[in-house]
Amino acid sequence: FLATDGLFNSSKISDAELHKLVRKYYNSDGIILSSIGFGKDINALDFLQKLAKNGRGNFLRINNMDTDIEVLINEVKLQSLK
């Protein structure tokens, strides 16, 4: 899992290279990447959603921790079974 506000990438690797890296690890090692987005930055959330898609995982957006905590817990349980 990757849980972030989506603003974690540095200039050392491009977004395209990061997406390619996620696909590579899924294809070569079966590593699944799910991402969890916090915050309201639409570009950052879109980036995280694309990362999850490239990693064959799921994307969750947490708007309100009080109401969304159950969704987060269920996702962790689901992915832990794989």
Side-chain angles (χ1 to χ4, degrees):
F1 288 101
L2 174 64
T4 178
D5 63 1
L7 302 174
F8 66 92
N9 198 12
S10 71
S11 61
K12 293 180 183 178
I13 184 170
S14 72
D15 289 357
E17 290 172 315
L18 192 53
H19 289 292
K20 185 177 177 181
L21 187 64
V22 168
R23 282 192 304 271
K24 174 189 164 201
Y25 280 109
Y26 175 78
N27 291 330
S28 65
D29 300 320
I31 296 173
I32 296 169
L33 175 70
S34 289
S35 60
I36 303 164
F38 296 86
K40 297 179 181 176
D41 185 313
I42 297 302
N43 291 327
L45 294 170
D46 184 54
F47 174 73
L48 289 171
Q49 190 170 21
K50 287 177 183 174
L51 273 183
K53 183 177 181 180
N54 283 308
R56 305 298 194 270
N58 296 315
F59 171 73
L60 297 170
R61 180 176 179 187
I62 304 298
N63 293 311
N64 181 313
M65 196 58 126
D66 293 333
T67 59
D68 295 339
I69 191 69
E70 194 63 36
V71 174
L72 178 58
I73 290 169
N74 286 336
E75 179 66 15
V76 170
K77 287 179 182 177
L78 176 68
Q79 295 302 328
S80 296
L81 296 174
K82 292 182 179 182

